[in-house]
Amino acid sequence: MSDLVADLLAGKHSALARVITLIENRSSGYREIISDLHQHTGTADVIGVTGSPGAGKSTLVDKVAATYREQGQTVGVIAIDPSSPFSGGAVLGDRIRMASNAGDMDMFFRSMSARGSLGGLSTATTDAVTALDAFGKDKIIVETVGAGQNEVDIVRTADTVAVLVPPGSGDDVQMLKAGILEIGDVFVVNKADLDGADRTVQQLREMLQGRSGRPDSGHHGPTELAGDHGDASDDDSDDEDDGSETWNPPIVETVANRGEGVEDFLDALANHGDYLDRTGRREGQARERFAAEIRTLLREDANELLVDELDRRGGIEQYVDAVIERNTDPYTVVDEVLAPLRACLDERRDGA
């Protein structure tokens, strides 16, 4: 175990910050660090917060973090921020808006830059969650800047996903149909003191009622709307869990800048956590996440190996030239490049 890992496990925030920097930059040695930390994870409650820009996610996350700290719980926040096209750094920097928690060593905040593409950031986010979990944070909040497909992939690292929608935003509600509706465990209409809030709640209610149930999936299941703070329904009156219990996503109204509705939101998050534990679906979610992570890492590493092999053969351009001249075709090129790998795997398989 490296000194840096030992310092992180000992609770040194400076070590935690250094590890996350290594993760974000994919610096040499970061993989070994994550491997060492993995056995120390599994106790944190991970919450994903996403939604359209302008929904008030940043303010709500600030209030939620402050409330958790008032309850004596330690908090880590990972905020996925837009990046500057010039410096590559996060435009929002270290987010001065989190000032209400400034100076609190048990409230760790880190913004991670998308650097123009969110695709590879989902893996880095997963690794950062691992570091915060191993450090011993009770609550980890992952916040994304928007609600595109890549950002949906990022918040899938969470046990519970909250989707924020501003009031009077018919277009934003319709956008949820693109896929984010399916991953929401709790829906929040923030800025509920503005005109249009009631209509937005009604639109969400109608959409949730039409959502197909997926009781065995990692996130959510029911087609009907829940009560104030979320509820779990079971088609069977028998007390024994037969797998039919599903989660009813609640719609919570908040005015985050005044702290209104924050306690209701936390109750909804807690109820969903209880549901995951009671039904055993927390473990199911973990299995799905680890399976997805393994597949992602295999794709990334295999791609790097193949890029190196192409470079060793003189680069891809010579193959493109041959394809353009109709001397070969893309399938034949791929078969040729993969031939050594297939031969190696066949040899190992025959020798097993």
Side-chain angles (χ1 to χ4, degrees):
M1 180 188 300
S2 68
D3 290 342
L4 185 57
V5 170
D7 286 345
L8 183 150
L9 295 175
K12 295 184 179 180
H13 282 85
S14 59
L16 174 60
R18 285 180 58 198
V19 166
I20 293 181
T21 297
L22 293 175
I23 289 169
E24 186 176 15
N25 295 331
R26 312 317 260 172
S27 300
S28 175
Y30 84 91
R31 295 176 68 131
E32 291 76 14
I33 291 174
I34 296 302
S35 295
D36 287 343
L37 293 178
H38 178 75
Q39 62 183 305
H40 301 282
T41 63
T43 59
D45 186 18
V46 185
I47 301 160
V49 178
T50 190
S52 56
K57 297 183 297 293
S58 302
T59 304
L60 183 60
V61 167
D62 189 7
K63 297 297 184 181
V64 166
T67 304
Y68 278 141
R69 288 297 302 123
E70 290 171 1
Q71 296 173 355
Q73 300 188 80
T74 58
V75 182
V77 176
I78 301 170
I80 310 304
D81 281 342
S83 68
S84 164
F86 302 105
S87 67
V91 169
L92 301 184
D94 287 332
R95 304 265 281 276
I96 297 174
R97 59 172 178 72
M98 296 290 288
S100 65
N101 298 306
D104 182 357
M105 291 304 293
D106 286 320
M107 166 61 229
F108 182 90
F109 175 87
R110 181 64 175 263
S111 63
M112 296 180 68
S113 169
R115 301 184 190 280
S117 172
L118 292 172
L121 199 55
S122 59
T123 302
T125 303
T126 299
D127 292 342
V129 168
T130 295
L132 288 165
D133 192 355
F135 185 86
K137 294 300 183 185
D138 299 315
K139 303 289 184 180
I140 300 173
I141 303 172
V142 178
E143 176 200 340
T144 70
V145 121
Q149 182 56 52
N150 285 320
E151 288 160 313
V152 168
D153 292 339
I154 289 171
V155 296
R156 284 186 188 277
T157 60
D159 301 309
T160 300
V161 175
V163 178
L164 269 67
V165 183
S169 53
D171 291 341
D172 289 320
V173 173
Q174 291 301 313
M175 175 198 68
L176 298 179
K177 291 182 178 179
I180 198 170
L181 181 75
E182 294 298 322
I183 70 162
D185 300 300
V186 178
F187 290 85
V188 181
V189 176
N190 191 30
K191 306 179 182 178
D193 54 334
L194 300 181
D195 292 339
D198 292 343
R199 175 57 182 158
T200 300
V201 170
Q202 179 62 28
Q203 287 180 309
L204 282 172
R205 176 179 291 111
E206 292 170 356
M207 294 181 69
L208 286 170
Q209 287 174 336
R211 188 172 77 177
S212 60
R214 297 183 304 162
D216 293 325
S217 64
H219 285 286
H220 3 107
T223 59
E224 63 275 350
L225 186 68
D228 290 339
H229 303 138
D231 195 8
S233 62
D234 197 322
D235 297 333
D236 192 343
S237 58
D238 194 333
D239 289 337
E240 184 177 354
D241 181 20
D242 62 359
S244 63
E245 185 177 0
T246 57
W247 170 254
N248 300 322
I251 299 173
V252 180
E253 298 182 55
T254 62
V255 184
N257 60 359
R258 298 205 298 259
E260 296 176 9
V262 173
E263 291 289 350
D264 291 340
F265 178 48
L266 295 187
D267 287 343
L269 297 176
N271 287 344
H272 184 255
D274 291 342
Y275 161 78
L276 293 176
D277 292 331
R278 183 173 63 256
T279 60
R281 296 211 171 97
R282 189 183 295 275
E283 180 180 353
Q285 283 189 358
R287 293 186 65 86
E288 290 181 6
R289 282 197 301 270
F290 286 135
E293 183 179 0
I294 291 170
R295 292 189 189 100
T296 297
L297 293 175
L298 283 172
R299 283 194 298 268
E300 290 178 354
D301 286 8
N303 183 64
E304 288 184 12
L305 287 173
L306 293 174
V307 168
D308 290 343
E309 177 64 12
L310 279 172
D311 289 342
R312 188 185 69 80
R313 291 168 175 254
I316 198 171
E317 290 303 321
Q318 64 173 336
Y319 288 107
V320 174
D321 290 340
V323 171
I324 290 291
E325 295 169 2
R326 301 307 191 267
N327 293 326
T328 187
D329 64 273
Y331 284 102
T332 301
V333 169
V334 170
D335 287 342
E336 180 182 337
V337 173
L338 289 179
L341 175 60
R342 289 197 175 105
C344 180
L345 291 176
D346 288 342
E347 182 180 343
R348 290 180 60 87
R349 189 181 302 114
D350 294 341

